[in-house]
Amino acid sequence: MAVRQLEIPVVLRRAWGDEAADAFAVWLTSVLEERAISRDEYRQILSRLDILEHDMADLKAEISELRREMNERFDRMNERFDQMYHQMVVQTRWFIGALVVIGTVISALLAIAQFVR
């Protein structure tokens, strides 16, 4: 990229002198040539950034859809776990109740057996 020689303002030429102003202009021109980009390159970079932005928007939409699906699955799993927990509590109560009844019947039978002798 060709950067034309910078023109130093008259005020700076008077304050610095012609030699210092010219040296500064050469130095600044070389710095700009090393680090600056052309308008065409800038437009090309902007177009690439626009493409990336569009792709990122699509990716964000896909990720949010995936999160929604995963949340639905986890909600269904939580419902199943809640149902299983409820069934386990019910079965545990029935089991304990059955043990109590069986224990009572056995105790009653043993008491009757002792009185019969």
Side-chain angles (χ1 to χ4, degrees):
M1 175 174 98
V3 176
R4 61 184 178 91
Q5 184 69 29
L6 296 175
E7 292 185 29
I8 303 296
V10 176
V11 173
L12 291 178
R13 282 198 176 276
R14 272 190 240 135
W16 291 350
D18 287 336
E19 185 179 341
D22 289 339
F24 177 76
V26 168
W27 173 78
L28 189 57
T29 301
S30 69
V31 168
L32 289 176
E33 284 177 351
E34 289 174 11
R35 298 192 179 145
I37 59 171
S38 68
R39 288 185 179 168
D40 291 336
E41 289 174 318
Y42 183 73
R43 286 186 190 114
Q44 186 180 23
I45 291 170
L46 278 180
S47 69
R48 288 180 180 175
L49 287 174
D50 287 340
I51 292 169
L52 283 175
E53 183 179 18
H54 182 266
D55 290 347
M56 288 300 294
D58 292 344
L59 187 61
K60 284 181 181 179
E62 289 176 10
I63 288 175
S64 65
E65 177 65 21
L66 181 62
R67 284 184 179 164
R68 186 188 61 75
E69 290 174 4
M70 293 301 292
N71 285 336
E72 286 176 3
R73 289 179 188 178
F74 286 132
D75 288 344
R76 284 188 300 220
M77 286 174 50
N78 285 335
E79 288 175 14
R80 294 285 307 266
F81 285 139
D82 289 344
Q83 291 171 356
M84 287 172 34
Y85 175 76
H86 178 70
Q87 290 299 321
M88 288 169 51
V89 167
V90 168
Q91 289 176 0
T92 303
R93 288 179 183 162
W94 274 100
F95 180 69
I96 291 171
L99 285 178
V100 167
V101 168
I102 291 171
T104 305
V105 168
I106 291 174
S107 296
L109 290 175
L110 285 174
I112 291 171
Q114 281 185 354
F115 288 120
V116 170
R117 284 190 200 177

